[in-house]
Amino acid sequence: MGAGAQHSFEEHRGELEIRIEAPTLPDLFAEAGRALAGVMHSTPLEAPVRWSDEVAVTARDREALLVGWLNELVFRSELAKVIFTDFDITQLSERQLVARIRGTQMRELRNPVKAATYHGLSITEHAGGFTAKVILDV
């Protein structure tokens, strides 16, 4: 985990707001991925299988990029039954993200996230780094 990066949750009916704080933008995106993993409860395989892949996401701006990133992780988690917990952001601009993602394959995902939404979405920069808010449809 990036030094100083953290996340918290606020529940809504059928939604969960994630508030993410991190010193850098790459740390913010990596912490968002870890927050998503924290929401997606699962049943591990008896012999854990490690999974690794590369992800590339493009969007119109960095807020849409955050939603696209989380939705790509949701899609890949559901497809392969993998909870991704380790993220190496290798390229990040206002409109593109490339990352190496690693996780553990699960027997089942018990609490899948449907999608990250644009409702209430924000990324703000401040003296200590970045803060983001994103609502997940659960």
Side-chain angles (χ1 to χ4, degrees), residues 59-74:
R60 68 178 184 272
D61 57 34
R62 68 181 175 187
E63 287 81 5
L65 192 60
L66 180 59
V67 169
W69 161 245
L70 291 173
N71 285 335
E72 183 67 22
L73 294 175
V74 166

Side-chain angles (χ1 to χ4, degrees), residues 15 67 71 115-121 133-137:
E15 297 179 332
V67 169
N71 285 335
T117 71
Y118 289 91
H119 176 72
L121 175 65
K133 289 183 183 178
V134 63
I135 294 177
L136 302 176
D137 186 6

Side-chain angles (χ1 to χ4, degrees), residues 1 30 33-34 37 50-53 69 73 83-89 99-104:
M1 179 167 29
R34 285 187 288 275
R50 293 293 293 162
W51 189 276
S52 180
D53 206 353
W69 161 245
L73 294 175
I83 298 294
F84 296 103
T85 55
D86 187 23
F87 309 95
D88 182 17
I89 310 295
R100 169 67 52 190
I101 59 174
R102 289 174 286 282
T104 305

Side-chain angles (χ1 to χ4, degrees), residues 42-111:
S42 57
T43 304
L45 292 170
E46 286 157 22
V49 176
R50 293 293 293 162
W51 189 276
S52 180
D53 206 353
E54 186 170 273
V55 175
V57 180
T58 57
R60 68 178 184 272
D61 57 34
R62 68 181 175 187
E63 287 81 5
L65 192 60
L66 180 59
V67 169
W69 161 245
L70 291 173
N71 285 335
E72 183 67 22
L73 294 175
V74 166
F75 171 75
R76 288 171 183 254
S77 290
E78 289 178 358
L79 186 67
K81 290 188 172 68
V82 173
I83 298 294
F84 296 103
T85 55
D86 187 23
F87 309 95
D88 182 17
I89 310 295
T90 57
Q91 184 180 353
L92 181 61
S93 67
E94 290 290 313
R95 296 177 152 198
Q96 185 178 33
L97 174 142
V98 177
R100 169 67 52 190
I101 59 174
R102 289 174 286 282
T104 305
Q105 192 167 28
M106 301 291 159
R107 184 177 317 131
E108 64 178 316
L109 301 179
R110 292 186 305 218
N111 187 22

